Amino acid sequence: ALPDEEITDKAVICKNEDLKLGDVSVEDHTIEWFADINKAVELNPDIAKYYMARGAVKLMLNNFMGAFEDVNRAIELDENNSVYYVSRANIKLILKSYNSALSDYNKAIKLDPENPSYYILRADFKYHFGDYEGSLKDYNNAIRLDPENPEYYILRAPIRQGFGDIEGCLADYDKAISL
């Protein structure tokens, strides 16, 4: 389950200075833009892309729960947008809601099964959690959809090596180099 605690913005805004956020410096116009997005949400509460935009700013400000809530609202308004599910999955990873993140990656792939990036994201997720067979299948799908992307071969190579497929591993590196 997601944590119930509210994570607040860590930003300190000083007049005529940059917004300071840890080691990150965000220009003042970001806050102005954030105010504009808030106004857009207020005036148009049924437009999903405004919630997504506001969620992106909240994410940048480390307001993870706020970003999560805005992305949830965007999904409520447009449940067939695969990008929204990927965004929510990424936030869920930050919040350590791993099973739920995987469900969102699965939903994104169901909505847009021809997007190789979604398979890569899910493959990376599966690899991180020890599902090497599932990870290999997702890398294979990404390569099937975009065989000219060298990065996909580089990502798949160590998985093949781990299964003892040294020839396949080397073939992946060779293919990546040739592209």
Side-chain angles (χ1 to χ4, degrees), residues 71-98:
V71 173
N72 270 343
R73 181 67 180 134
I75 289 171
E76 289 171 9
L77 294 168
D78 184 1
E79 63 186 28
N80 293 315
N81 190 315
S82 60
V83 173
Y84 296 174
Y85 287 94
V86 169
S87 295
R88 186 170 71 179
N90 293 336
I91 294 168
K92 286 178 177 180
L93 290 178
I94 293 168
L95 296 172
K96 296 181 171 53
S97 183
Y98 302 121

Side-chain angles (χ1 to χ4, degrees), residues 48-115:
K49 67 181 178 181
Y50 294 148
Y51 288 95
M52 284 300 298
R54 187 171 71 180
V57 175
K58 287 180 179 180
L59 187 61
M60 187 172 58
L61 296 172
N62 289 345
N63 181 350
F64 305 125
M65 287 304 297
F68 176 76
E69 290 164 2
D70 279 345
V71 173
N72 270 343
R73 181 67 180 134
I75 289 171
E76 289 171 9
L77 294 168
D78 184 1
E79 63 186 28
N80 293 315
N81 190 315
S82 60
V83 173
Y84 296 174
Y85 287 94
V86 169
S87 295
R88 186 170 71 179
N90 293 336
I91 294 168
K92 286 178 177 180
L93 290 178
I94 293 168
L95 296 172
K96 296 181 171 53
S97 183
Y98 302 121
N99 289 330
S100 188
L102 180 58
S103 294
D104 280 347
Y105 286 135
N106 292 340
K107 179 70 174 184
I109 289 170
K110 183 177 179 183
L111 290 170
D112 188 2
E114 300 300 311
N115 188 325

Side-chain angles (χ1 to χ4, degrees), residues 11-32:
V12 177
I13 304 168
C14 301
K15 186 175 180 181
N16 298 324
E17 290 186 26
D18 286 349
L19 169 69
K20 302 296 182 188
L21 179 63
D23 295 330
V24 178
S25 180
V26 182
E27 296 177 17
D28 282 336
H29 67 79
T30 303
I31 298 304
E32 293 170 14

Side-chain angles (χ1 to χ4, degrees), residues 103-175:
S103 294
D104 280 347
Y105 286 135
N106 292 340
K107 179 70 174 184
I109 289 170
K110 183 177 179 183
L111 290 170
D112 188 2
E114 300 300 311
N115 188 325
S117 297
Y118 296 169
Y119 289 97
I120 293 297
L121 288 168
R122 190 172 70 179
D124 291 346
F125 176 91
K126 288 178 178 180
Y127 180 81
H128 182 76
F129 288 99
D131 179 4
Y132 304 119
E133 287 182 26
S135 181
L136 180 61
K137 287 178 186 176
D138 281 342
Y139 286 130
N140 288 340
N141 278 321
I143 289 170
R144 176 182 56 79
L145 293 167
D146 186 5
E148 301 302 313
N149 189 323
E151 181 182 352
Y152 297 170
Y153 295 94
I154 291 169
L155 290 168
R156 183 176 70 175
I159 304 285
R160 293 177 99 175
Q161 180 183 7
F163 282 118
D165 181 8
I166 303 304
E167 287 182 29
C169 170
L170 294 174
D172 277 352
Y173 285 129
D174 288 341
K175 181 67 175 181

